[in-house]
Amino acid sequence: MAMRMCVLGGGLAGSLLGWRLAAAGVAVDLWSPPGTADATAASGGLVRAFEPDPTLFRLATESLAELAADPDLRRAAGYRRTGSVYLLRADRVTPAVAARLAAAGPDGPRPGPAALLTGSPLRCADDDVVAVREREAGYLSPDALRRYAHTLVARHGGTVVPAAAVAVEPGRDGVTVHGPAARRHRYDLVVLAAGPWTGSVLARSGLDPQPLRTKLIQYQVHPCAGPRPPAFVDETTGLYGRPYSPGAVLLGVPSRHWDVDPAARRPVPELVAETVRAARLRLPGLDLGRPHRTVVAVDGYAPAPYLSLRTVPGTEDRLRTFAGGSGGAAKLALAATAHAARSLLAGTPTRAEPRRRPALPDAGLSTEGT
């Protein structure tokens, strides 16, 4: 008998996981509440291979390789190749990091002194800062990729349920999902991928909310004059950004605002000021105007800064969480969901043989607002 699975949460991670499972022949429901102003809708979508952390490096490299190999994915996600620059202190380039960079080959990330940056408006005179540059990197629209994943779930025989789970109730032979209007749905296995709402769903269900915390994410869109940077991250100041629309740039810095209610998020003026100060230091030739858009979201974080499946204690592996984004899950989600799907499918009877993914019609998807 085929196993019925459910993915609760229609963000990028949950939607891609639902597609992976449906494409493998699993009878799967993807619960995706409509109109959610979530981290996927707000994400800046930076995509690159390089990360100092070995697990993040591997997942980012695998994700970028899948994106590069699949024109349908690139087109659906509105992928833009801009190249990438990653600035970090030289002591962060440990022998292990250097070995991974060397193994990536001449077409992969290449390190060099940041003081010698050429062909980029980024400026750094510090001799102890390294710039890792990538040609095959850029940004995409996580929201557009999410919508594409929803179409693929349906085309592979799965169901996209436009609702949010109220609570979950693990039992001896499955998991009951309590939906709106007191409706109940029974599944053999449930993956809770609700981002910042993951902990609250577990708490309402009387289950261990796990070491998941919420954190505010904020960036601004500034009008500008002068040469714009490629997609970039600067660990030394926290500044990150990418081109936005013509004559505009997306810029932000990490926040330190933890345990934020996702339903009560609001802009933090101090983050705007910190972003502008860092931009004046690293992008001195860029004439920034006052931001005409400030984007605020909340995401769910775990101690390990990447997406992975975790078993909820006392549920006999019938209920898992899939959360723990680093705030940059767009660059990891393809690989992380592929690994998660393989883990869930191990020994699982499926509905039918996987069907080939259909070609994407020209939808004219825009990357505005990411």
Side-chain angles (χ1 to χ4, degrees):
M1 180 177 177
M3 177 177 283
R4 290 193 68 217
M5 291 190 187
C6 172
V7 178
L8 298 175
L12 181 62
S15 299
L16 289 175
L17 180 58
W19 156 51
R20 304 279 195 194
L21 295 172
V26 172
V28 63
D29 287 352
L30 170 65
W31 286 48
S32 178
T36 302
D38 58 8
T40 293
S43 172
L46 274 67
V47 175
R48 63 181 179 276
F50 176 71
E51 281 288 337
D53 179 274
T55 300
L56 297 182
F57 188 104
R58 175 174 56 84
L59 292 174
T61 299
E62 291 176 8
S63 292
L64 188 57
E66 181 174 4
L67 191 66
D70 192 324
D72 280 349
L73 277 177
R74 291 197 304 277
R75 187 153 48 98
Y79 180 64
R80 300 291 182 269
R81 179 177 173 269
T82 65
S84 172
V85 177
Y86 193 112
L87 299 176
L88 72 167
R89 295 288 175 191
D91 59 7
R92 292 265 285 152
V93 185
T94 63
V97 171
R100 286 192 293 273
L101 287 168
D107 294 327
R110 302 184 67 180
L116 299 180
L117 271 172
T118 58
S120 168
L122 285 163
R123 293 291 176 264
C124 181
D126 298 341
D127 291 334
D128 65 341
V129 175
V130 172
V132 178
R133 307 185 73 166
E134 295 182 53
R135 289 180 297 179
E136 300 299 326
Y139 65 92
L140 51 75
S141 167
D143 199 32
L145 185 53
R146 180 223 325 249
R147 294 195 300 269
Y148 181 43
H150 286 195
T151 67
L152 295 178
V153 168
R155 289 178 186 178
H156 284 291
T159 302
V160 179
V161 180
V166 176
V168 290
E169 182 184 348
R172 300 181 67 178
D173 58 349
V175 179
T176 298
V177 176
H178 296 255
R183 293 180 179 174
R184 299 185 176 192
H185 305 258
R186 190 74 168 172
Y187 298 98
D188 298 296
L189 190 149
V190 170
V191 178
L192 182 54
W197 292 276
T198 299
S200 60
V201 173
L202 291 171
R204 285 198 302 268
S205 307
L207 298 167
D208 180 3
Q210 303 188 326
L212 294 171
R213 300 179 68 188
T214 60
K215 184 182 180 184
L216 181 135
I217 301 167
Q218 179 176 307
Y219 63 76
Q220 297 79 241
V221 176
H222 294 258
C224 64
R228 296 183 299 167
F232 75 94
V233 171
D234 174 18
E235 278 195 3
T236 66
T237 64
L239 187 68
Y240 62 87
R242 65 163 175 83
Y244 191 71
S245 55
V249 64
L250 181 156
L251 297 171
V253 293
S255 83
R256 293 168 290 278
H257 292 66
W258 291 91
D259 305 317
V260 177
D261 180 355
R265 65 193 184 278
R266 56 181 56 87
V268 179
E270 292 82 2
L271 290 176
V272 178
E274 187 177 342
T275 299
V276 171
R277 285 194 297 269
R280 287 173 178 163
L281 177 67
R282 287 289 178 255
L283 297 163
L286 193 62
D287 183 13
L288 283 181
R290 294 176 62 86
H292 57 59
R293 185 175 182 218
T294 298
V295 177
V296 183
V298 177
D299 206 353
Y301 286 69
Y306 47 83
L307 291 164
S308 64
L309 288 170
R310 296 171 178 84
T311 298
V312 178
T315 65
E316 300 181 356
D317 282 351
R318 297 186 184 278
L319 177 64
R320 316 277 186 89
T321 61
F322 189 54
S326 65
K331 65 179 177 295
L332 310 173
L334 284 169
T337 55
H339 287 281
R342 284 194 291 269
S343 175
L344 292 168
L345 290 168
T348 299
T350 56
R351 181 185 64 244
E353 288 300 310
R355 294 195 287 270
R356 186 177 178 182
R357 183 162 74 249
L360 176 75
D362 239 327
L365 297 173
S366 169
T367 60
E368 285 298 303
T370 63

